[in-house]
Amino acid sequence: MGLEHNTDTAHSPDVAEMRALYRAAEARAARLRFIIEVRNLLDAQTFETSAPEVLSRLADFAGASLATLVFPPLRGEGPVQLTVGQSRSRESDDILFASQDSALYLTLIGPPRGRAIDADDRQTLEVVAGQLADACNLERQAMEKQALLGDLQRQRSELAALVAQLIQAQEQERQRVALDLHDGSAQLAAGLSYRLQDLAARIGEAHALKPEIDQLAALARHSVADLRAAIADLRPPELDDLGVAAALRTRLDAIDGMEVIADLDARADRWPASAGIIFYRVAQEAITNVIKHAEARRLIVRLFEDKAGEAHLEVIDDGKGMGSVRQPRVQERGARLGIIGMRERLALLGGRIEIVAGASGGTCVRAVAPLQGETISA
């Protein structure tokens, strides 16, 4: 007779144990859903709006009749306290849960339960309390960042106003000097030129001093021309009337002895006055250096605005380049002062300048600066 072995008892599941495991799994899923719902609520709304709802859900989760949250102020001074529900009996109610994270305090108060909050419930409450603290800190940091950005914007506006005032003061001083030269030295030089020409005409060609007087008259005429050019450079009328591109074009049209290529964006005439003046002065200095020192045959000047709202200036020549011929010390000092002056002017706009050797010889001067505010409409 064969032996029979009943395996039903050995392998049949313990129904009570399975039910316990199922309930535990449901409880863990419920805790996880609770944590996710709180996270979504905090993400979807501001902290001050979502905190009362989260506090109410915490009270329901813990079976508390009173939930209190104390957190640092997001605005103003002094801590903020939120309260949901009320204590039914101060004598019999207990603190079911309390948490402190940084400066945030969470307290849940209610009647004693049949059993204390277990470890899993406590861990869930601690996770949610941490989410509250994180949301509070993030919102406070965002508000602080916004306040700092507002302060920075105000400082930039104040700086732009100061820069405009400084540039205006410089230009007014230039205009004053130009008027003084026009009414003083230029008139004297012109008068001297006329007197010498008149004297040369009266003494006749045979007079021994005629050649010397003619030289003095020519020198006086050159002095008058130089003074008038200096007056125009101090404050060109085109800069006030037409804008930086038109003023530069007038300056370039007056250059003789070299090929001049001007690529000047007409939109530059609508730049803010401070930017237009500074870019004109930088271009003026760079062009003067080319004329006096570069021995160039070609001069290229570009002025434009890029898509990022930055102003650009390029002054390119095909001359002897930087450092190829050692200039006298006085000229070296003058060139250095000119470069320093260009850098200082651009620094007022938060810009920069680059001076490099050209790809095929010569020198390339590049200046760039952000355009503060919007361009002036035509």
Side-chain angles (χ1 to χ4, degrees), residues 68-72 97-107 122 125-126 129-130 133:
T68 303
L69 181 67
V70 180
F71 57 91
F97 177 80
S99 173
Q100 176 180 353
D101 192 326
S102 300
L104 186 142
Y105 299 88
L106 172 64
T107 306
R122 184 170 295 276
L125 291 171
E126 288 174 351

Side-chain angles (χ1 to χ4, degrees), residues 13-339:
D14 186 340
V15 176
E17 182 179 355
M18 291 294 294
R19 288 176 177 173
L21 290 173
Y22 179 75
R23 286 194 296 270
E26 279 191 328
R28 285 194 295 271
R31 293 186 189 99
L32 181 59
R33 283 196 303 272
F34 177 63
I35 292 172
I36 293 173
E37 288 172 358
V38 169
R39 179 74 270 171
N40 291 337
L41 183 61
L42 291 170
D43 289 341
Q45 302 176 2
T46 64
F47 180 78
E48 291 180 337
T49 302
S50 60
E53 176 64 21
V54 174
L55 206 56
S56 178
R57 294 190 184 191
L58 281 169
D60 293 340
F61 179 86
S65 58
L66 175 65
T68 303
L69 181 67
V70 180
F71 57 91
L74 299 178
R75 303 178 184 86
E77 299 179 356
V80 179
Q81 178 173 320
L82 293 178
T83 301
V84 173
Q86 60 183 359
S87 177
R88 298 174 183 174
S89 174
R90 296 183 179 180
E91 292 78 11
S92 60
D93 282 349
D94 290 339
I95 296 177
L96 303 179
F97 177 80
S99 173
Q100 176 180 353
D101 192 326
S102 300
L104 186 142
Y105 299 88
L106 172 64
T107 306
L108 302 176
I109 298 174
R113 306 204 315 183
R115 60 177 180 82
I117 295 177
D118 62 24
D120 289 337
D121 289 342
R122 184 170 295 276
Q123 184 179 16
T124 301
L125 291 171
E126 288 174 351
V127 169
V128 174
Q131 290 179 332
L132 279 168
D134 291 342
C136 180
N137 290 333
L138 286 174
E139 185 155 336
R140 185 172 63 253
Q141 291 172 5
M143 294 179 68
E144 291 174 351
K145 179 181 178 181
Q146 191 64 33
L148 289 174
L149 288 175
D151 291 340
L152 180 60
Q153 186 62 39
R154 283 191 295 273
Q155 290 175 2
R156 285 179 174 175
S157 299
E158 292 173 359
L159 178 60
L162 289 174
V163 168
Q165 291 175 9
L166 176 60
I167 295 171
Q168 184 180 12
Q170 291 176 341
E171 293 303 311
Q172 287 175 347
E173 180 63 17
R174 284 175 171 268
Q175 190 172 18
R176 186 191 66 78
V177 172
L179 289 174
D180 289 346
L181 287 175
H182 178 272
D183 296 339
S185 300
Q187 297 298 328
L188 291 174
L192 177 61
S193 174
Y194 295 145
R195 293 290 298 275
L196 288 172
Q197 291 178 52
D198 180 65
L199 178 60
R202 283 191 292 110
I203 63 175
E205 296 291 336
H207 199 283
L209 295 177
K210 180 67 165 57
E212 187 172 351
I213 293 174
D214 286 340
Q215 291 179 1
L216 290 173
L219 182 61
R221 287 194 299 272
H222 285 306
S223 297
V224 171
D226 289 344
L227 280 169
R228 288 174 177 170
I231 291 169
D233 285 341
L234 279 170
R235 190 62 185 177
E238 296 84 6
L239 192 58
D240 292 324
D241 300 336
L242 302 176
V244 58
L248 271 180
R249 191 173 299 279
T250 300
R251 176 72 178 87
L252 294 172
D253 288 344
I255 296 176
D256 295 323
M258 71 174 70
E259 180 186 4
V260 177
I261 300 174
D263 183 7
L264 308 176
D265 190 343
R267 292 178 300 172
D269 290 332
R270 299 191 298 272
W271 288 353
S274 56
I277 291 171
I278 286 179
F279 270 87
Y280 178 83
R281 296 303 178 196
V282 172
Q284 185 182 43
E285 181 66 33
I287 293 169
T288 299
N289 287 339
V290 172
I291 295 173
K292 289 185 176 180
H293 308 301
E295 300 176 8
R297 292 174 299 175
R298 173 182 292 181
L299 171 65
I300 302 173
V301 179
R302 299 191 182 102
L303 186 69
F304 60 94
E305 177 183 346
D306 64 17
K307 295 181 180 179
E310 289 190 325
H312 292 259
L313 169 70
E314 294 180 354
V315 179
I316 306 168
D317 69 76
D318 63 348
K320 59 189 180 183
M322 300 183 303
S324 59
V325 178
R326 185 168 181 83
Q327 300 292 333
R329 296 186 63 86
V330 173
Q331 291 187 4
E332 287 180 356
R333 286 196 298 270
R336 284 199 299 269
L337 288 174
I339 294 172

